[in-house]
Coordinates of all heavy atoms in Angstrom, one line a residue:
Y1 N -18.0 -3.8 7.9 CA -18.8 -3.1 6.9 C -18.2 -3.3 5.5 O -18.8 -3.4 4.5 CB -18.9 -1.6 7.2 CG -19.9 -0.9 6.3 CD1 -21.2 -1.2 6.3 CD2 -19.5 0.3 5.6 CE1 -22.2 -0.5 5.5 CE2 -20.4 1.0 4.8 CZ -21.7 0.6 4.7 OH -22.6 1.3 4.0
D2 N -16.8 -3.2 5.4 CA -16.1 -3.4 4.2 C -16.5 -4.7 3.5 O -16.7 -4.8 2.3 CB -14.6 -3.6 4.4 CG -13.9 -2.3 4.8 OD1 -14.4 -1.2 4.7 OD2 -12.7 -2.5 5.3
N3 N -16.7 -5.7 4.3 CA -16.9 -7.1 3.8 C -18.3 -7.7 4.1 O -18.5 -8.9 3.7 CB -15.8 -8.0 4.4 CG -14.4 -7.5 4.1 OD1 -14.0 -7.4 2.9 ND2 -13.7 -7.0 5.1
H4 N -19.2 -7.0 4.8 CA -20.5 -7.5 5.2 C -20.3 -8.8 5.9 O -20.9 -9.8 5.5 CB -21.4 -7.5 4.0 CG -21.7 -6.2 3.4 ND1 -22.2 -5.1 4.1 CD2 -21.5 -5.7 2.1 CE1 -22.3 -4.1 3.3 NE2 -21.9 -4.4 2.1
V5 N -19.5 -8.8 7.0 CA -19.4 -9.9 7.8 C -19.7 -9.5 9.3 O -19.6 -8.4 9.6 CB -17.9 -10.5 7.8 CG1 -17.6 -11.0 6.4 CG2 -16.9 -9.5 8.2
F6 N -20.0 -10.5 10.1 CA -20.0 -10.3 11.5 C -18.6 -10.2 12.0 O -17.7 -11.0 11.6 CB -20.8 -11.4 12.3 CG -22.3 -11.3 12.0 CD1 -22.8 -12.2 11.1 CD2 -23.1 -10.5 12.8 CE1 -24.2 -12.2 10.9 CE2 -24.4 -10.5 12.6 CZ -25.0 -11.3 11.7
M7 N -18.3 -9.3 12.9 CA -16.9 -9.2 13.5 C -17.1 -9.3 15.0 O -17.9 -8.7 15.7 CB -16.3 -7.8 13.2 CG -15.0 -7.5 13.8 SD -13.6 -8.4 13.0 CE -13.6 -7.6 11.4
I8 N -16.3 -10.3 15.6 CA -16.2 -10.5 17.0 C -14.9 -10.1 17.5 O -13.9 -10.8 17.2 CB -16.5 -11.9 17.4 CG1 -17.9 -12.4 16.8 CG2 -16.6 -12.1 18.9 CD1 -18.1 -13.9 16.9
G9 N -14.8 -9.0 18.2 CA -13.5 -8.5 18.7 C -13.4 -8.7 20.2 O -14.2 -8.1 21.0
A10 N -12.5 -9.5 20.7 CA -12.3 -9.8 22.1 C -11.0 -9.2 22.5 O -10.0 -9.6 22.1 CB -12.3 -11.3 22.4
N11 N -11.1 -8.1 23.3 CA -9.9 -7.4 23.7 C -9.5 -7.6 25.1 O -10.3 -7.8 26.0 CB -10.1 -5.9 23.5 CG -8.9 -5.1 23.5 OD1 -7.8 -5.5 23.0 ND2 -8.9 -3.8 24.0
A12 N -8.2 -7.6 25.4 CA -7.7 -7.9 26.7 C -8.0 -6.8 27.7 O -8.3 -5.6 27.3 CB -6.2 -8.1 26.7
T13 N -8.0 -7.1 28.9 CA -8.1 -6.1 30.0 C -7.0 -6.4 31.0 O -6.3 -7.4 30.9 CB -9.5 -6.1 30.6 OG1 -9.6 -5.0 31.5 CG2 -9.8 -7.3 31.4
G14 N -6.9 -5.6 32.0 CA -5.8 -5.8 33.1 C -4.5 -5.4 32.6 O -4.3 -4.6 31.7
V15 N -3.4 -6.0 33.2 CA -2.0 -5.6 33.0 C -1.2 -6.8 32.7 O -1.3 -7.9 33.3 CB -1.5 -4.9 34.3 CG1 0.0 -4.5 34.1 CG2 -2.3 -3.7 34.6
D16 N -0.4 -6.7 31.6 CA 0.4 -7.9 31.2 C 1.7 -7.9 32.0 O 2.0 -7.1 32.8 CB 0.6 -7.9 29.7 CG 1.6 -6.8 29.2 OD1 2.4 -6.3 30.0 OD2 1.6 -6.5 28.0
P17 N 2.6 -9.0 31.8 CA 3.8 -9.2 32.6 C 4.8 -8.0 32.5 O 5.6 -7.8 33.4 CB 4.4 -10.5 32.0 CG 3.2 -11.2 31.6 CD 2.3 -10.2 31.0
A18 N 4.7 -7.2 31.4 CA 5.6 -6.1 31.3 C 5.0 -4.8 31.9 O 5.6 -3.7 31.8 CB 5.9 -5.8 29.8
G19 N 3.8 -4.9 32.5 CA 3.2 -3.8 33.2 C 2.4 -2.9 32.3 O 2.0 -1.8 32.7
I20 N 2.0 -3.4 31.1 CA 1.2 -2.6 30.2 C -0.3 -2.9 30.3 O -0.7 -4.0 30.4 CB 1.7 -2.9 28.7 CG1 3.1 -2.5 28.5 CG2 0.8 -2.2 27.7 CD1 3.7 -3.0 27.2
P21 N -1.1 -1.8 30.5 CA -2.5 -2.0 30.7 C -3.3 -2.1 29.4 O -2.9 -1.5 28.4 CB -2.9 -0.7 31.5 CG -2.0 0.3 31.0 CD -0.7 -0.4 30.7
Y22 N -4.5 -2.7 29.5 CA -5.4 -2.9 28.4 C -6.8 -2.5 28.8 O -7.1 -2.5 30.0 CB -5.4 -4.3 27.9 CG -4.0 -4.7 27.4 CD1 -3.1 -5.2 28.3 CD2 -3.6 -4.5 26.1 CE1 -1.8 -5.5 28.0 CE2 -2.3 -4.8 25.7 CZ -1.4 -5.3 26.6 OH -0.1 -5.6 26.3
F23 N -7.6 -2.0 27.8 CA -8.9 -1.3 28.2 C -10.1 -2.1 27.9 O -11.2 -1.6 28.0 CB -8.9 0.0 27.5 CG -8.9 -0.1 26.0 CD1 -10.0 -0.4 25.2 CD2 -7.7 0.2 25.3 CE1 -9.9 -0.4 23.8 CE2 -7.6 0.2 23.9 CZ -8.7 -0.1 23.2
G24 N -10.0 -3.4 27.5 CA -11.2 -4.2 27.2 C -12.1 -3.6 26.1 O -11.6 -3.4 25.0
N25 N -13.4 -3.3 26.3 CA -14.2 -2.7 25.3 C -14.5 -3.7 24.2 O -14.7 -3.4 23.0 CB -13.6 -1.4 24.8 CG -14.7 -0.6 24.1 OD1 -14.4 0.1 23.0 ND2 -15.8 -0.5 24.6
S26 N -14.5 -5.0 24.5 CA -14.8 -6.1 23.5 C -16.1 -5.8 22.9 O -17.0 -5.2 23.5 CB -14.8 -7.4 24.2 OG -13.6 -7.8 24.7
M27 N -16.3 -6.2 21.6 CA -17.5 -5.8 20.9 C -17.9 -6.8 19.8 O -17.0 -7.6 19.3 CB -17.4 -4.4 20.3 CG -16.4 -4.2 19.2 SD -16.4 -2.5 18.6 CE -15.9 -1.6 20.1
I28 N -19.1 -6.9 19.5 CA -19.6 -7.6 18.3 C -20.3 -6.7 17.4 O -21.1 -5.9 17.8 CB -20.6 -8.7 18.8 CG1 -19.9 -9.7 19.8 CG2 -21.2 -9.5 17.6 CD1 -20.7 -10.7 20.4
V29 N -20.0 -6.8 16.1 CA -20.4 -5.8 15.1 C -21.1 -6.6 14.0 O -20.7 -7.7 13.5 CB -19.2 -5.0 14.5 CG1 -19.7 -3.9 13.6 CG2 -18.4 -4.4 15.6
T30 N -22.2 -6.0 13.4 CA -23.0 -6.7 12.4 C -22.4 -6.3 11.0 O -21.6 -5.4 10.9 CB -24.4 -6.2 12.4 OG1 -24.5 -4.9 11.9 CG2 -25.0 -6.3 13.8
P31 N -22.8 -7.0 9.9 CA -22.4 -6.7 8.6 C -22.7 -5.3 8.1 O -22.3 -4.9 7.0 CB -23.0 -7.7 7.7 CG -23.2 -8.9 8.7 CD -23.6 -8.3 10.0
I32 N -23.6 -4.5 8.8 CA -23.8 -3.1 8.4 C -23.3 -2.2 9.4 O -23.7 -1.0 9.5 CB -25.3 -2.9 8.2 CG1 -26.2 -3.2 9.4 CG2 -25.9 -3.7 7.0 CD1 -27.6 -2.6 9.3
A33 N -22.2 -2.7 10.2 CA -21.4 -1.8 11.1 C -22.1 -1.4 12.4 O -21.7 -0.5 13.0 CB -20.9 -0.6 10.3
E34 N -23.2 -2.1 12.8 CA -23.8 -1.8 14.0 C -23.1 -2.6 15.2 O -23.0 -3.8 15.1 CB -25.3 -2.2 14.0 CG -26.0 -1.9 15.3 CD -27.5 -2.3 15.2 OE1 -27.9 -3.1 14.3 OE2 -28.2 -2.0 16.2
V35 N -22.8 -1.9 16.2 CA -22.2 -2.5 17.4 C -23.4 -3.0 18.2 O -24.2 -2.2 18.8 CB -21.4 -1.6 18.2 CG1 -20.9 -2.3 19.5 CG2 -20.2 -1.1 17.4
I36 N -23.6 -4.4 18.3 CA -24.7 -4.9 19.0 C -24.4 -5.5 20.4 O -25.3 -5.9 21.1 CB -25.4 -6.0 18.1 CG1 -24.4 -7.1 17.7 CG2 -26.1 -5.4 16.9 CD1 -25.1 -8.3 17.0
A37 N -23.1 -5.4 20.7 CA -22.7 -5.8 22.1 C -21.4 -5.1 22.3 O -20.5 -5.1 21.5 CB -22.5 -7.3 22.2
R38 N -21.3 -4.5 23.5 CA -20.0 -3.8 23.9 C -19.8 -4.0 25.4 O -20.6 -3.8 26.2 CB -20.2 -2.3 23.6 CG -18.9 -1.5 23.8 CD -19.2 0.0 23.8 NE -19.9 0.5 22.7 CZ -19.3 1.0 21.6 NH1 -18.0 1.0 21.5 NH2 -20.1 1.4 20.6

């Protein structure tokens, strides 16, 4: 929204080699801040 761009956020899931977990929730956001995929 700050910049009126599309944002594609791809977040990790699972557990890394140090045993730290991740929650996914990847999303695609429009230039007016609408989450159109989650």
Side-chain angles (χ1 to χ4, degrees):
Y1 191 59
D2 289 345
N3 302 293
H4 297 307
V5 296
F6 289 100
M7 178 73 67
I8 305 172
N11 196 34
T13 189
V15 178
D16 72 18
I20 297 173
Y22 300 87
F23 58 82
N25 200 220
S26 298
M27 63 181 63
I28 299 175
V29 187
T30 74
I32 59 169
E34 180 184 10
V35 178
I36 53 173
R38 186 196 304 268

